[in-house]
C-alpha cells in the first residue's frame, strides 16, 4: 500500500436505462430485466443498427443531457453520504464526448454554439455553478476508461489532503456520433443482443448514463457518523501503445494492470471474489480481456461478469457505474450475473445467475480506444 | 520544481494531420529517451476531438450514418492524440487526457510525484494542445515539456 489513508465510498448515484436510483438499479441487475431496445427514430435516421440502451422518462434539453444526468446522480450520492456543509469538495469527472448532441447540432447547422462549452470541461463548469462547494475539478476524456481515471484522481487528491470530499464519476449521454462510429468500426451487435464472452457474441450495444460516488477518508466518514459502504484501495493504469482502436492481442497491458494492483495492495489472487469485467461483447475486446484474466488467475478463478448486456456500453460512464456495482456487490454480498451468456468461449468463470456469497474484494475493469487499460480495486470495510 | 515549456505551431487539414506533424517534429528536433511503462503521457486540451466530432457527423449527414467515413471516428475522441503519441514513442505507462483550458503546473508535478511512487515513473511527457479552425484549415499551438524524476 502506498499509504495508510483508507478511502471510503459513502454515497452512490446512478442514471441509466434500468433505473434512476440505486435501489431500483440493484434490483434490476439481479433479475432478468434489460434496458436495451430497438429504436424507431434511429431507423428513420438510417442507422444500420437500431438497438440501444437509452434513458427514458428523462425529458430535458438535449444539449444539457450529460449535465442533467450528472446532477441527478450527484444529488443521490451526496444525499446518501449526508455531506456536511464545511467540507471541501473536489469534482472528478470522466467522459468520452461530453455533450455530444451539441457537436451534432453544430454539424446540422441549426445552432450557433461554441464547441468548447460542451466538452467535459463545460459540464464541470456547470456542475461547479450548481454545487458551489466544489472548489476544484478535473475532467478526464479517457474514453471508455474515463470513470476509472476519475476515481484514480479523486483517490489521489483525498490522500494528499487537497480536499475532504471527492465527487467522482462518469457521464455520457446518448451520442449519434458514437452510434455511427461504433457501427462503422464494425463493433455493434447486428442481433441487438449483447453477449459478453459468449462464443456467439456479435458486438456491443451503445448505452447512456451517469454514475457518481462520494469518496472521503474513512476517518472523515467516521467522524461524520456516515456509513462506509466500501473502500476504494487503488487504481492501476497502463497503455497498450499498439493500435488506435484494437486491444493488444497478447493482452500484456491489461495483465500489467492486474499484476500491479495485486502487488501494490499485497493481495493474493484467491482474495479476489469478483471481476466486474469490461465485457463489451465485441470479438477482440472480450478475447483480450479473457486472455488477461486466464493468464493472471491460473489456479484460482474468481467470478467474472459484465453488466453491459443490461445497460449497454455507457462509454465514459461505464467504469463509474460499474464501480457503483462493485460497491453494491460488497454491500449485499452478491455477485451480479451476466445475462445472455450460454456458450463460454473462454476458461473464465461466468455466473449465469446472481451468486450469493461473501464479497470482500472486487476488481473493476475498463479498457478504451487509444489502448487505455484501467483497473480499480474495491474492498469491504470491517 | 519549474517546468520548461517549448512551443510548436503548425497547420493541417485534420486533427490526425496535426498529431502526425507534432510527433514528427518532436522526433526530429529532440533526443528524448522514453522508458516504456516508466514513462507517462499527460495531454491537456480543451478542444481535441471536437472538430473531428463535428466533421464526422457532417460526413454522416452527407452520406448517411451507414456510410460515414470510419477513419474520422477514432479522432472524435479527445484522447486520440495522446494514444498516437504513446504509439509513436512506445510509451506504455499511464496515459492521461485532461480537458482543461490551462496548464496547471502544480497539479502536473503533484501527479508526477504520485506516479513515481506508484509506477516508478522516470519521466512524463506533458503536452498542452490548442486547436483553432478557420474555414477548412486547422491551426495548432502545442506546448510541451518533459518532467524528469
Amino acid at each position: 500500500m502506498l499509504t495508510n489513508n483508507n478511502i471510503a465510498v459513502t454515497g452512490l448515484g446512478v442514471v441509466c436505462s434500468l433505473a434512476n436510483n440505486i435501489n431500483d438499479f440493484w434490483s434490476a441487475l439481479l433479475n432478468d430485466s434489460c434496458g436495451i431496445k430497438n429504436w424507431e427514430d434511429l431507423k428513420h435516421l438510417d442507422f444500420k443498427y437500431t438497438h440501444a440502451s437509452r434513458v427514458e422518462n428523462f425529458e430535458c434539453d438535449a444539449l444539457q443531457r450529460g449535465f442533467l444526468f450528472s446532477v441527478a446522480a450527484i444529488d443521490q450520492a451526496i444525499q446518501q453520504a449526508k455531506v456536511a456543509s464545511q467540507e471541501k469538495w473536489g469534482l472528478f469527472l470522466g467522459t468520452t464526448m461530453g455533450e455530444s448532441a451539441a457537436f451534432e447540432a453544430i454539424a446540422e447547422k441549426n445552432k450557433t454554439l461554441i464547441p468548447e462549452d460542451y466538452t467535459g470541461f463545460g459540464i464541470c463548469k456547470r456542475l461547479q455553478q450548481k454545487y458551489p462547494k466544489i472548489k476544484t475539478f478535473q475532467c478526464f476524456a479517457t474514453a471508455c476508461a474515463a470513470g476509472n481515471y476519475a476515481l484514480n484522481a479523486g483517490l489521489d487528491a483525498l490522500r494528499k489532503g487537497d480536499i475532504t470530499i471527492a465527487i467522482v464519476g462518469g457521464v455520457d449521454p446518448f451520442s449519434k456520433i458514437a452510434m455511427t462510429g461504433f457501427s462503422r468500426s464494425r463493433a455493434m451487435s447486428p442481433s441487438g443482443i449483447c453477449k459478453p464472452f459468449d462464443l456467439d457474441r456479435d458486438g456491443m450495444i451503445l448505452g447512456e448514463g451517469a454514475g457518481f460516488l462520494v469518496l472521503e477518508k474513512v476517518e472523515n466518514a467516521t467522524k461524520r457518523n456516515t456509513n462506509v459502504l466500501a473502500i476504494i484501495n487503488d487504481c492501476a493504469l497502463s497503455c497498450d501503445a499498439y493500435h488506435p482502436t484494437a486491444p493488444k492481442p497478447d493482452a500484456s497491458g491489461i495483465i500489467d494492470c492486474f499484476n500491479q494492483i495485486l502487488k501494490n495492495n499485497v493481495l493474493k489472487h484467491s482474495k479476489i471474489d469478483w471481476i466486474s469485467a469490461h465485457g463489451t461483447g465485441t470479438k477482440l475486446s472480450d478475447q483480450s480481456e479473457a486472455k488477461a484474466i486466464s493468464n493472471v488467475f491460473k489456479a484460482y478463478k474468481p467470478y467474472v461478469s459484465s453488466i453491459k448486456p443490461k445497460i449497454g456500453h455507457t462509454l465514459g460512464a461505464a467504469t463509474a457505474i460499474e464501480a457503483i456495482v462493485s460497491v453494491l456487490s460488497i454491500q449485499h454480498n452478491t455477485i451480479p450475473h451476466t445475462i445472455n451468456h450460454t456458450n463460454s468461449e473462454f476458461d473464465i468463470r461466468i455466473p449465469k445467475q446472481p451468486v450469493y456469497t461473501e464479497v470482500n474484494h472486487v476488481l473493476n475493469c475498463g479498457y478504451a480506444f487509444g489502448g487505455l487499460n484501467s483497473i480499480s480495486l474495491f474492498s469491504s470495510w470491517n | 520544481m519549474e517546468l520548461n515549456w517549448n512551443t510548436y505551431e503548425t497547420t493541417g487539414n485534420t486533427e490526425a494531420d496535426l498529431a502526425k506533424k507534432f510527433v514528427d517534429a518532436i522526433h526530429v528536433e529532440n533526443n528524448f529517451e522514453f522508458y516504456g511503462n516508466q514513462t507517462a503521457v499527460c495531454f491537456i486540451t480543451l478542444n481535441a476531438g471536437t472538430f473531428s466530432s463535428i466533421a464526422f457527423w457532417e460526413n454522416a449527414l452527407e452520406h448517411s450514418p451507414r456510410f460515414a467515413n470510419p477513419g474520422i471516428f477514432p479522432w472524435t475522441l479527445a484522447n486520440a492524440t495522446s494514444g498516437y503519441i504513446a504509439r509513436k514513442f512506445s510509451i506504455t505507462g499511464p496515459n492521461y487526457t485532461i480537458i482543461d483550458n490551462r496548464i496547471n503546473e502544480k497539479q502536473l508535478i503533484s501527479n508526477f510525484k504520485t506516479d513515481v511512487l506508484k509506477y516508478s515513473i522516470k519521466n512524463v511527457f506533458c503536452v498542452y494542445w490548442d486547436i483553432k479552425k478557420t474555414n477548412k484549415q486547422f491551426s495548432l499551438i502545442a506546448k510541451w515539456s518533459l518532467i524528469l524524476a
Side-chain angles (χ1 to χ4, degrees):
Chain A
M1 294 273 257
L2 291 170
T3 168
N4 291 322
N5 293 329
N6 285 311
I7 303 299
V9 180
T10 55
L12 305 172
V14 71
V15 173
C16 69
S17 61
L18 284 182
N20 289 350
N21 68 75
I22 291 295
N23 287 340
D24 290 351
F25 177 56
W26 181 241
S27 300
L29 285 178
L30 300 183
N31 62 34
D32 284 332
S33 59
C34 173
I36 294 167
K37 278 174 52 177
N38 199 9
W39 293 87
E40 281 299 315
D41 63 323
L42 299 179
K43 202 180 282 179
H44 292 143
L45 288 167
D46 201 29
F47 278 92
K48 186 172 182 184
Y49 305 117
T50 52
H51 282 86
S53 181
R54 294 155 88 178
V55 177
E56 296 183 88
N57 306 318
F58 197 99
E59 294 306 316
C60 65
D61 175 357
L63 303 182
Q64 299 216 42
R65 195 167 174 83
F67 165 68
L68 293 169
F69 278 177
S70 302
V71 169
I74 291 172
D75 280 348
Q76 294 166 44
I78 59 179
Q79 192 181 354
Q80 182 177 21
K82 295 177 274 178
V83 182
S85 58
Q86 67 273 22
E87 303 292 346
K88 189 179 171 190
W89 295 17
L91 170 69
F92 303 88
L93 175 75
T95 182
T96 295
M97 293 186 154
E99 304 283 10
S100 175
F103 309 127
E104 293 156 13
I106 294 169
E108 286 158 10
K109 298 183 173 50
N110 57 14
K111 281 205 169 84
T112 305
L113 302 169
I114 300 166
E116 286 84 347
D117 289 347
Y118 296 91
T119 61
F121 184 80
I123 295 176
C124 285
K125 290 288 267 187
R126 286 192 282 284
L127 288 172
Q128 195 175 33
Q129 283 164 10
K130 167 83 181 165
Y131 304 101
K133 283 181 226 162
I134 295 173
K135 304 297 174 204
T136 177
F137 67 78
Q138 267 191 292
C139 176
F140 295 89
T142 39
C144 308
N148 265 345
Y149 273 74
L151 283 163
N152 182 61
L155 191 61
D156 192 35
L158 285 166
R159 283 182 171 155
K160 285 175 178 160
D162 299 341
I163 50 171
T164 54
I165 294 287
I167 310 291
V168 178
V171 65
D172 262 307
F174 181 76
S175 164
K176 288 183 281 191
I177 293 171
M179 192 78 189
T180 305
F182 285 114
S183 166
R184 295 296 289 135
S185 308
R186 299 179 184 180
M188 293 291 231
S189 161
S191 68
I193 303 168
C194 176
K195 294 169 272 192
F197 305 112
D198 195 279
L199 188 62
D200 300 319
R201 70 191 182 282
D202 63 359
M204 58 168 276
I205 301 286
L206 189 63
E208 65 171 343
F212 279 85
L213 302 89
V214 173
L215 309 183
E216 59 190 299
K217 284 186 178 171
V218 166
E219 60 180 11
N220 198 59
T222 310
K223 211 185 296 171
R224 297 195 309 104
N225 206 19
T226 297
N227 278 345
V228 173
L229 308 175
I231 58 169
I232 172 165
N233 310 76
D234 199 3
C235 186
L237 308 171
S238 75
C239 178
D240 285 347
Y242 169 73
H243 189 273
T245 58
K248 205 170 176 183
D250 68 3
S252 54
I254 303 176
I255 292 169
D256 275 357
C257 279
F258 274 120
N259 288 335
Q260 204 182 101
I261 210 155
L262 291 168
K263 187 181 160 202
N264 286 353
N265 295 278
V266 201
L267 266 181
K268 285 183 185 163
H269 294 64
S270 58
K271 292 288 179 191
I272 301 300
D273 300 296
W274 179 41
I275 295 175
S276 171
H278 189 55
T280 58
T282 61
K283 287 281 177 198
L284 290 181
S285 178
D286 283 6
Q287 189 175 48
S288 164
E289 182 168 23
K291 190 172 206 168
I293 294 169
S294 303
N295 181 294
V296 174
F297 295 90
K298 291 190 176 91
Y300 164 77
K301 297 200 179 304
Y303 288 105
V304 178
S305 49
S306 165
I307 64 163
K308 288 186 176 74
K310 282 180 167 275
I311 67 164
H313 191 341
T314 55
L315 306 180
T319 43
I321 294 176
E322 286 150 10
I324 288 168
V325 181
S326 302
V327 172
L328 290 169
S329 162
I330 289 167
Q331 259 191 289
H332 296 277
N333 284 315
T334 304
I335 294 171
H337 57 310
T338 302
I339 60 166
N340 307 331
H341 187 80
T342 47
N343 303 310
S344 289
E345 179 176 345
F346 308 103
D347 185 22
I348 53 177
R349 195 178 178 197
I350 299 173
K352 294 178 185 176
Q353 293 298 324
V355 180
Y356 301 97
T357 183
E358 194 174 329
V359 182
N360 288 309
H361 299 288
V362 178
L363 294 174
N364 174 37
C365 308
Y367 315 113
F369 276 14
L372 303 183
N373 306 304
S374 70
I375 301 179
S376 52
L377 169 65
F378 291 85
S379 299
S380 58
W381 177 244
N382 291 337
Chain B
M1 187 189 280
E2 265 190 32
L3 305 185
N4 293 318
W5 292 92
N6 304 277
T7 302
Y8 173 78
E9 296 186 32
T10 192
T11 56
N13 295 322
T14 62
E15 293 195 55
D17 269 357
L18 301 176
K20 185 176 184 316
K21 285 182 179 178
F22 172 73
V23 166
D24 288 349
I26 296 290
H27 254 309
V28 170
E29 292 171 20
N30 300 280
N31 205 12
F32 290 152
E33 263 197 88
F34 295 119
Y35 303 95
N37 65 2
Q38 289 182 292
T39 296
V41 175
C42 189
F43 182 77
I44 306 139
T45 182
L46 187 58
N47 57 16
T50 59
F51 300 105
S52 296
S53 293
I54 296 164
F56 187 54
W57 190 239
E58 281 172 346
N59 191 276
L61 292 171
E62 189 182 341
H63 302 287
S64 151
R66 287 170 185 265
F67 304 110
N69 178 357
I72 307 172
F73 180 55
W75 293 94
T76 65
L77 304 176
N79 68 315
T81 302
S82 50
Y84 184 80
I85 291 169
R87 287 196 299 283
K88 293 299 162 185
F89 295 117
S90 301
I91 298 172
T92 56
N95 190 292
Y96 303 96
T97 294
I98 296 169
I99 306 299
D100 207 335
N101 60 358
R102 71 197 171 107
I103 299 166
N104 184 341
E105 278 200 13
K106 198 177 152 198
Q107 185 76 58
L108 286 174
I109 294 165
S110 172
N111 290 351
F112 171 67
K113 287 178 177 169
T114 302
D115 284 353
V116 167
L117 288 174
K118 204 166 158 181
Y119 305 101
S120 306
I121 288 291
K122 291 182 177 173
N123 57 14
V124 181
F125 188 40
C126 303
V127 181
Y128 178 74
W129 195 259
D130 185 23
I131 304 173
K132 298 267 183 291
K133 191 182 179 194
T134 39
N135 297 321
K136 293 205 164 177
Q137 181 86 352
F138 292 106
S139 57
L140 167 73
I141 301 177
K143 293 179 188 295
W144 54 269
S145 180
L146 198 64
I147 312 180
L148 300 165

